[in-house]
């Protein structure tokens, strides 16, 4: 599996994009809005329909997100991560 450092070495602009996304995520949390992301710490989130959902209070959950054929977004909590 390729690491983020390998990606950044191959494409330095990706680090800038990721850092900007990190800043945006911090702002969302400060505003009281939960965020979704993938994280190498949780390999199951690196592809497919599993994500980390983090709340402004720091609670983190592994969630499954699915878009239905009628364009509804379903979310299922799989387990608490912290």
């Amino acid at each position: 599996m390729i690491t983020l450092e390998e990606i950044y070495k191959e494409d330095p602009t990706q680090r800038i994009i990721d850092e900007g996304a990190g800043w945006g995520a911090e702002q969302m949390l400060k505003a009281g809005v939960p965020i979704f992301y993938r994280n190498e710490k949780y390999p199951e989130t690196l592809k497919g329909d599993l994500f980390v959902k983090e709340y402004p209070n720091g609670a983190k959950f592994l969630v499954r997100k699915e878009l239905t054929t009628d364009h509804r977004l379903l979310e299922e909590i799989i387990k608490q991560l912290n």
Side-chain angles (χ1 to χ4, degrees):
M1 177 171 53
I2 191 167
T3 67
L4 280 175
E5 286 307 316
E6 292 169 329
I7 291 170
Y8 296 156
K9 186 176 180 181
E10 186 175 311
D11 182 5
T13 59
Q14 188 60 49
R15 180 183 297 274
I16 296 166
I17 292 167
D18 289 350
E19 288 172 356
W23 180 85
E26 288 176 19
Q27 298 307 306
M28 298 272 296
L29 290 170
K30 285 180 184 177
V33 179
I35 60 173
F36 296 87
Y37 55 90
R38 297 179 189 275
N39 189 314
E40 289 178 328
K41 185 176 177 182
Y42 309 104
E44 63 268 40
T45 68
L46 295 181
K47 61 180 181 175
D49 58 359
L50 296 178
F51 298 85
V52 175
K53 181 176 186 177
E54 183 175 339
Y55 287 88
N57 68 2
K60 296 179 186 177
F61 295 87
L62 179 65
V63 298
R64 175 175 287 116
K65 294 179 71 91
E66 179 184 341
L67 185 63
T68 65
T69 56
D70 60 349
H71 305 289
R72 290 179 297 129
L73 186 61
L74 303 179
E75 180 181 312
E76 173 188 10
I77 294 175
I78 305 299
K79 67 179 179 179
Q80 188 166 356
L81 297 174
N82 61 354

